[in-house]
Amino acid sequence: MTQPTETPPPPQKDEFHTGAAMIFGGFLTVVALGLLLLLMNVEWTWEYWGGTNADKSGVLRNVILIIGGPLTLGFLGWRSFSAHRQANYANDQRRISISGLQVDRYQKGAQLLESGEMALRVAGVLTLRELVRTDRDDTLAMVRPLLASFLRAPTPPFQDRIRPLVEVEPEYIYRRKLEQEADILEALEALAASTEDDEVFARKTPLPAINLREAFLPQINLRNANICRWDFTGSTLPLSSFFQALAAHARFVKADLERANFMKAMLFGADFSRADLRSALFYGADVSSAHLQARYWDGWYIGDSWAWIDQIPMMPDGVEYPGILYAPGPSNRHREEHYLARTRGYPKHATRVRDGISSHHALP
């Protein structure tokens, strides 16, 4: 028969009591002073401390100062330490309170995005955008994926009204001017505003990608928007405007970009592999290091785009890049000046090495 094993008592916590520590420290200080005085053969007489005609009140005052000085300094140190701990505790409570409020606002904004009413969805987008504005560092990583998911999902009533017509008649979106819903426009604007331009032109750290794969967003307006590293793979974006947009390293793989406007856009390193670029405009667009192996080419006015001579974009087999080429200058000076100045369009001070073909030339 096995005997029951005794449960060991829980370990006791070692707690630091500031008051007890200060009293014990004061006692040790007095003891140390007493021992010091004994070692120095101090006599406890008025004549020793104050001379023949000793002022007893002055002697007493000096002795009290000798003993009370260290105790007073210790007390002041304890008060300072205690105030510092209280301030840290108050700051921690404030951060916890702010974090809780941010989570509540985030949840409220997410719930509003699921509403069937337009005004509530717009309110949800604006709530999330304000959340990023007030505390960018802690909320940006949460808000951007949520807004991107909102744009990818079927958004009533635009999707319900337009998509069935496009499935029956694909040319519908090319013959009609579509008015995007306010919630879509607000979400796109909020996403575009979530990245500072300085982060793009400094080209220091890669920006987090925004997933808009398979999105149905025909005729969207992203003029002057910051869409660097956005992923539009397989998206439907015909007749959309990317005029002067910052789209460095954006992905448009297999995207429908027929008649899209990329005039003066920054497309450094963008990927247009197998995209539909029929009649897309690229006047003054920076396509340096871009992947331009598009699926459809007829009518693509690529001749007025430009690139740095050492960063010529990748073209389909057998096709030479026909755009304008510029020299980056000694030690890349002109290239750095162009990006640091946040200039859109052609470089102002770089030397043109080669002119492009006519803007109305169609590639095979």
Side-chain angles (χ1 to χ4, degrees):
M1 180 176 178
T2 60
Q3 296 181 357
T5 59
E6 295 182 358
T7 304
Q12 297 181 355
K13 296 182 180 180
D14 296 332
E15 297 182 356
F16 178 79
H17 298 282
T18 306
M22 291 303 302
I23 295 174
F24 184 69
F27 173 75
L28 290 179
T29 301
V30 174
V31 172
L33 286 174
L35 292 176
L36 181 62
L37 293 176
L38 290 176
L39 292 175
M40 295 174 61
N41 295 323
V42 175
E43 297 180 6
W44 297 97
T45 62
W46 297 111
E47 290 77 8
Y48 179 85
W49 290 95
T52 305
N53 299 321
D55 183 4
K56 295 183 179 181
S57 62
V59 172
L60 185 61
R61 182 184 66 247
N62 293 335
V63 173
I64 293 176
L65 288 176
I66 293 174
I67 299 176
L71 295 177
T72 303
L73 291 176
F75 176 76
L76 293 177
W78 168 71
R79 290 297 301 167
S80 177
F81 177 74
S82 177
H84 178 69
R85 291 186 59 185
Q86 290 177 357
N88 288 339
Y89 178 77
N91 290 333
D92 292 340
Q93 292 298 315
R94 177 177 175 273
R95 283 192 292 266
I96 294 174
S97 177
I98 292 177
S99 178
L101 291 176
Q102 290 173 347
V103 172
D104 291 341
R105 294 171 63 187
Y106 176 80
Q107 292 177 345
K108 184 63 175 179
Q111 293 173 356
L112 291 175
L113 293 181
E114 299 177 353
S115 174
E117 299 183 16
M118 173 66 66
L120 294 180
R121 294 198 301 273
V122 172
V125 174
L126 295 179
T127 299
L128 295 173
R129 183 172 184 177
E130 181 64 18
L131 185 61
V132 173
R133 190 190 67 81
T134 54
D135 194 352
R136 174 183 173 84
D137 294 336
D138 294 336
T139 60
L140 183 62
M142 298 188 302
V143 172
R144 284 162 64 105
L146 178 60
L147 291 177
S149 176
F150 170 71
L151 290 172
R152 291 194 309 270
T155 307
F158 180 79
Q159 296 273 22
D160 298 338
R161 187 179 78 246
I162 302 300
R163 199 156 199 165
L165 297 175
V166 175
E167 293 175 354
V168 175
E169 186 181 357
E171 292 296 321
Y172 178 86
I173 56 179
Y174 301 106
R175 294 188 293 102
R176 291 180 176 271
K177 179 175 176 57
L178 306 181
E179 294 294 338
Q180 291 284 358
E181 304 297 336
D183 55 348
I184 296 177
L185 297 178
E186 289 290 348
L188 286 170
E189 185 178 350
L191 276 177
S194 65
T195 303
E196 301 292 340
D197 290 353
D198 292 339
E199 299 178 34
V200 179
F201 287 101
R203 294 172 296 161
K204 294 180 180 179
T205 56
L207 302 172
I210 291 181
N211 182 7
L212 289 178
R213 290 169 169 256
E214 307 293 338
F216 182 76
L217 299 169
Q219 299 187 21
I220 59 172
N221 183 7
L222 287 171
R223 296 168 61 95
N224 300 294
N226 192 333
I227 58 174
C228 292
R229 286 179 55 82
W230 286 28
D231 190 354
F232 292 100
T233 299
S235 296
T236 304
L237 307 166
L239 293 169
S240 296
S241 177
F242 301 91
F243 178 76
Q244 290 190 342
L246 299 177
H249 302 287
R251 290 178 56 84
F252 297 96
V253 178
K254 297 182 181 180
D256 182 359
L257 294 165
E258 185 172 356
R259 307 182 201 179
N261 181 3
F262 288 97
M263 294 176 62
K264 296 185 178 181
M266 179 187 177
L267 303 172
F268 186 94
D271 192 350
F272 293 91
S273 300
R274 291 170 288 172
D276 185 352
L277 293 172
R278 287 176 290 185
S279 301
L281 300 177
F282 284 81
Y283 176 86
D286 178 6
V287 294
S288 302
S289 299
H291 296 263
L292 301 179
Q293 302 96 331
R295 179 179 44 169
Y296 297 119
W297 298 86
D298 60 303
W300 181 30
Y301 301 160
I302 187 178
D304 287 329
S305 65
W306 67 274
W308 302 106
I309 194 172
D310 59 342
Q311 295 175 335
I312 297 177
M314 298 179 63
M315 302 293 294
D317 295 338
V319 178
E320 181 182 359
Y321 173 64
I324 304 170
L325 296 178
Y326 286 91
S331 301
N332 294 321
R333 180 166 62 91
H334 297 315
R335 174 158 46 206
E336 295 299 326
E337 289 177 352
H338 174 73
Y339 290 128
L340 289 176
R342 298 190 283 187
T343 306
R344 315 291 175 90
Y346 300 115
K348 295 182 179 180
H349 304 293
T351 302
R352 181 176 292 195
V353 178
R354 189 192 72 186
D355 292 332
I357 63 175
S358 171
S359 61
H360 295 285
H361 180 80
L363 293 177

